[in-house]
Amino acid sequence: MHTQLAATLLLGVLLIDPAAAQQPMPTPAALSERIKDVGSINAAGLSALKPGTILFTDHRDTPANPESGLIPYLDWGKARPAERAALAPYPAYAEPDYTITVNGVSKPRHETLKVYVAQGRFVLPKAPEAVDLSSYATLAFVSKMDPVIRHKALSPADVTPTKDPAAAFAKRPDRPWCAPGTVCIESRYDLEGKLPLGVKLANRLEDGASKKVAEFVSFQSELRILPPAEAAGLTALTGIDAPVAGGLEQTIFWVNQILRFGKFLAVVQPVPGEPGKSVVTTYMALAIKADVLERKQEYARVPVLKNLLPAQVLMGNSSFNTGTSISAGLPVYARNRLAAFAEALAKN
């Protein structure tokens, strides 16, 4: 029962909200007026993209379909290989294989994932060297985002994949998480709106269960400025024929419920032929455990929970989705956070 309630908790885990650190966030109506939905960001020309306008896509061909916009992890690598290479926890990341024990019997398990990816693009009327991404790569800055998400510094020694290397966490093969030069963060988000009631109902229905649903989501992440050599390779991802001036990345490598990983990535390049302007391409990716999305029958017998199916809540198609932030569902939240990030860079 816990799977679908957790789906909504994680909507706000990843995307950095710079505007909240500097000024009140614009109203959702003002934000939506700035966003132009397109089928493909990379196919849209830069010449017609004016400062103040944001191109946006999350590949949702049929928004009313609960799982439209989600792609199986393996299919993601085949359909958009540059995107998967940049937005997975690390380039060689694979769906986890691990061992579970049921009634004293151990057996192997392969976990399949589905990925939500939102992409945005906007132009700034200033040169790339005037865009200071390092001012966003601090714990103090991240702590000023959405006030309902609390953050604190995390010791690299306390990183979950490091402490429990046998578990199905995203332990890096090339280096440890939170290596020198990165910011290591532990975060907590307490459920809002109608969701705490849903958690209480779920826990009551599973009164004998050994593991109760948490009324919060906790997660660990690494925030860093990409090294120049690593950032340089992102031109294949953005599709813009111009050198990369900088990249900002926040990777969620451990979450207590529903997700396996998440990433926010921002890439700054000069506008080709216009060195006094910058084009910023942003990405938000969340990998959801596929078995969570497939759990439906157990809710059908409970009228109040019929609209709490994981895919519906996650994609903002449930009566439990309210407001304009995390509780509204991932697509609305991603759009608003992208617009807030664009505004922060424009005013910084």
Side-chain angles (χ1 to χ4, degrees), residues 123-163:
V123 168
L124 300 173
K126 51 187 174 183
E129 55 267 26
V131 181
D132 182 17
L133 288 179
S134 65
S135 64
Y136 298 90
T138 67
L139 175 61
F141 178 80
V142 173
S143 296
K144 294 178 182 178
M145 64 178 188
D146 191 335
V148 300
I149 304 177
R150 302 192 299 276
H151 309 273
K152 64 181 181 180
L154 175 66
S155 168
D158 292 329
V159 166
T160 299
T162 301
K163 295 179 69 174

Side-chain angles (χ1 to χ4, degrees), residues 28 31 61 63 109 119 135 185 195-196 208 235 252 279 327 335 346:
L31 291 172
D61 297 329
R109 178 181 177 183
Q119 181 183 2
S135 64
I185 304 171
L195 294 178
T235 55
I252 297 171
V279 55
S327 62
R335 291 168 68 92

Side-chain angles (χ1 to χ4, degrees), residues 87-314:
L87 299 181
Y90 46 84
Y93 180 84
E95 292 177 325
D97 291 297
Y98 54 98
T99 300
I100 61 172
T101 301
V102 180
N103 298 325
V105 179
S106 297
K107 53 184 178 181
R109 178 181 177 183
H110 176 80
E111 185 171 80
T112 58
L113 304 173
K114 291 189 177 182
V115 186
Y116 172 87
V117 181
Q119 181 183 2
R121 177 168 290 165
F122 53 92
V123 168
L124 300 173
K126 51 187 174 183
E129 55 267 26
V131 181
D132 182 17
L133 288 179
S134 65
S135 64
Y136 298 90
T138 67
L139 175 61
F141 178 80
V142 173
S143 296
K144 294 178 182 178
M145 64 178 188
D146 191 335
V148 300
I149 304 177
R150 302 192 299 276
H151 309 273
K152 64 181 181 180
L154 175 66
S155 168
D158 292 329
V159 166
T160 299
T162 301
K163 295 179 69 174
D164 192 1
F169 304 128
K171 184 180 181 181
R172 297 187 65 112
D174 52 344
R175 64 170 177 85
W177 288 110
C178 299
T182 67
V183 179
C184 199
I185 304 171
E186 185 166 54
S187 309
R188 171 172 168 142
Y189 166 65
D190 291 305
L191 296 179
E192 299 178 278
K194 299 179 180 180
L195 294 178
L197 174 60
V199 169
K200 289 181 173 63
L201 288 171
N203 283 334
R204 185 173 299 175
L205 289 169
E206 293 192 354
D207 193 39
S210 59
K211 185 177 180 180
K212 295 294 184 180
V213 183
E215 293 186 34
F216 64 91
V217 57
S218 59
F219 52 97
Q220 298 173 351
S221 65
E222 175 192 87
L223 179 65
R224 67 181 184 133
I225 296 295
L226 297 182
E230 187 175 342
L234 294 175
T235 55
L237 173 65
T238 66
I240 297 174
D241 186 16
V244 174
L248 172 68
E249 175 187 85
Q250 185 179 9
T251 303
I252 297 171
F253 50 78
W254 177 81
V255 191
N256 68 335
Q257 300 186 93
I258 226 41
L259 292 185
R260 273 302 177 197
F261 69 82
K263 182 173 286 190
F264 171 78
L265 175 65
V267 183
V268 180
Q269 298 172 266
V271 174
E274 299 183 76
K277 293 182 180 180
S278 302
V279 55
V280 182
T281 309
T282 60
Y283 302 84
M284 176 179 175
L286 294 173
I288 307 135
K289 301 174 186 179
D291 61 352
V292 168
L293 299 170
E294 295 164 0
R295 299 280 296 277
K296 299 178 181 180
Q297 297 301 320
E298 60 192 83
Y299 307 104
R301 70 182 191 274
V302 186
V304 72
L305 296 182
K306 285 183 177 179
N307 290 324
L308 201 62
L309 297 179
Q312 291 178 339
V313 174
L314 185 64

